[in-house]
Amino acid sequence: MSTDAQFDSALDLLRRLPPHSTTVNLTRLCTLAPHLTEDLLSSVDQPLEVHRCKKSGRDYLLCDYNRDGDSWRSPWSNEFEPPLGEGDEEGTRPSERVRGMEIRMGEAVDVYRDLYYEGGVSSVYFWDLDDGFAGVVLLKKTTPRGRSEGGWDSIHVFEAIDRARTAHYKLTSTVILHLGTSNESLGEMELSGNMTRQIEQDMPVDDDTSHIVNVGKLIEDMELKMRNLLQEVYFGKARDVVGDLRSIAPLTEANRDKATLQEMINSMKR
């Protein structure tokens, strides 16, 4: 089997496995096919991990965009943890201008996280492009483990291409959601999945601050749309399916109500 075929098969397999176990299954696939490791890690969205910055004492999120080998760059200190080896390069860091925007965007997203999520962890990472810059905004919120648990991971990857007085933005957003509950009346139930949406838009730009405002607005609007989709479409459909499969009222009572309704309809037709 060719490398491309193996890669496609691995992605196909991951799509059929529980999303909340993506990290474990991805590790197993990388062990079975080490030559696919880099491609899989850069292509598969997995629940975000939290790490604490040793220098600032603040939490940040790990992803493929701040990883260099087995080290991750902290957005608070701009240093890799654990430190890169002596024989390695210094690692990829943004330029001074882009780093300044990264810091300001991180502060803005931190306020957004506190207002919308009332907790959780957020991180922002930027990097340079030949004709602009790109970045990723990460948000994570989990509930304490117990009879009911849940987790929300948002991954927003964007590109900003500079043009004359405008910029072209391309945003790809992924949400990973996991819910679970366990009690005597329901038993054990788990609901998990992920959703990806993409948008492109041209917006006016005056200075670097405009980029922060534009990207923030795109991310806020996208999260609102995806939350509404999850609530109205996905949860609504799941509720309808479960309602058809499982009747809370006794079946005899439900059948009697149906018969009464049919009798009323027939009497109206006479």
Side-chain angles (χ1 to χ4, degrees), residues 14 17-28 47 178 190 192:
L14 287 170
L17 295 171
H20 66 275
S21 301
T22 298
T23 301
V24 176
N25 294 325
L26 186 60
T27 302
R28 292 171 178 170
H178 169 63
E190 288 190 355
S192 59

Side-chain angles (χ1 to χ4, degrees), residues 12-156:
D12 191 49
L13 178 61
L14 287 170
R15 280 193 291 268
R16 286 164 168 75
L17 295 171
H20 66 275
S21 301
T22 298
T23 301
V24 176
N25 294 325
L26 186 60
T27 302
R28 292 171 178 170
L29 283 173
C30 292
T31 303
L32 291 173
H35 59 286
L36 298 177
T37 299
E38 289 296 329
D39 291 334
L40 287 173
L41 290 176
S42 61
S43 302
V44 178
D45 292 315
Q46 52 184 317
L48 302 167
E49 296 183 21
V50 181
H51 191 74
R52 177 153 293 184
C53 177
K54 295 180 180 179
K55 189 171 183 179
S56 66
R58 300 182 64 177
D59 291 335
Y60 65 95
L61 298 170
L62 309 183
C63 69
D64 194 59
Y65 298 98
N66 71 321
R67 181 176 68 89
D68 192 324
D70 294 327
S71 299
W72 285 267
R73 182 173 68 88
S74 167
W76 310 117
S77 65
N78 201 30
E79 297 178 0
F80 284 89
E81 299 180 350
L84 299 173
E86 295 181 0
D88 298 332
E89 298 181 359
E90 295 183 358
T92 302
R93 290 183 174 87
S95 63
E96 184 177 350
R97 169 183 172 255
V98 174
R99 170 62 178 164
M101 288 192 291
E102 179 184 79
I103 294 174
R104 281 178 287 171
M105 188 70 189
E107 294 171 349
V109 171
D110 199 45
V111 174
Y112 169 83
R113 171 199 56 76
D114 188 52
L115 293 174
Y116 276 79
Y117 291 86
E118 298 181 354
V121 183
S122 63
S123 294
V124 175
Y125 304 103
F126 283 7
W127 58 93
D128 292 89
L129 298 177
D130 293 337
D131 49 359
F133 69 99
V136 59
V137 175
L138 309 173
L139 294 155
K140 183 180 183 69
K141 175 70 181 290
T142 57
T143 58
R145 291 185 176 273
R147 289 192 172 183
S148 297
E149 60 177 335
W152 172 287
D153 296 87
S154 293
I155 305 171
H156 304 279

Side-chain angles (χ1 to χ4, degrees), residues 61-264:
L61 298 170
L62 309 183
C63 69
D64 194 59
Y65 298 98
N66 71 321
R67 181 176 68 89
D68 192 324
D70 294 327
S71 299
W72 285 267
R73 182 173 68 88
S74 167
W76 310 117
S77 65
N78 201 30
E79 297 178 0
F80 284 89
E81 299 180 350
L84 299 173
E86 295 181 0
D88 298 332
E89 298 181 359
E90 295 183 358
T92 302
R93 290 183 174 87
S95 63
E96 184 177 350
R97 169 183 172 255
V98 174
R99 170 62 178 164
M101 288 192 291
E102 179 184 79
I103 294 174
R104 281 178 287 171
M105 188 70 189
E107 294 171 349
V109 171
D110 199 45
V111 174
Y112 169 83
R113 171 199 56 76
D114 188 52
L115 293 174
Y116 276 79
Y117 291 86
E118 298 181 354
V121 183
S122 63
S123 294
V124 175
Y125 304 103
F126 283 7
W127 58 93
D128 292 89
L129 298 177
D130 293 337
D131 49 359
F133 69 99
V136 59
V137 175
L138 309 173
L139 294 155
K140 183 180 183 69
K141 175 70 181 290
T142 57
T143 58
R145 291 185 176 273
R147 289 192 172 183
S148 297
E149 60 177 335
W152 172 287
D153 296 87
S154 293
I155 305 171
H156 304 279
V157 183
F158 71 90
E159 291 182 358
I161 308 302
D162 291 322
R163 296 176 179 172
R165 296 187 179 182
T166 63
H168 180 75
Y169 298 95
K170 180 179 180 181
L171 174 67
T172 302
S173 298
T174 300
V175 167
I176 304 173
L177 178 65
H178 169 63
L179 299 173
T181 185
S182 176
N183 56 53
E184 295 180 358
S185 59
L186 290 177
E188 294 185 2
M189 184 187 72
E190 288 190 355
L191 177 64
S192 59
N194 56 48
M195 175 195 299
T196 300
R197 293 292 184 271
Q198 191 175 87
I199 188 175
E200 295 188 38
Q201 188 171 337
D202 292 327
M203 303 179 76
V205 173
D206 296 325
D207 51 22
D208 290 344
T209 303
S210 300
H211 285 301
I212 307 300
V213 175
N214 292 341
V215 173
K217 179 175 176 56
L218 289 174
I219 291 176
E220 184 178 11
D221 292 344
M222 180 64 79
E223 283 219 329
L224 180 60
K225 292 177 182 178
M226 297 178 80
R227 277 197 296 266
N228 290 337
L229 274 174
L230 284 170
Q231 181 177 350
E232 298 174 5
V233 179
Y234 291 84
F235 285 166
K237 185 64 176 179
R239 185 170 58 250
D240 293 341
V241 172
V242 173
D244 290 339
L245 293 174
R246 185 174 183 177
S247 176
I248 298 177
L251 289 177
T252 53
E253 183 177 334
N255 291 333
R256 185 171 62 251
D257 292 342
K258 289 182 180 179
T260 303
L261 179 61
Q262 187 62 43
E263 184 178 351
M264 293 177 60

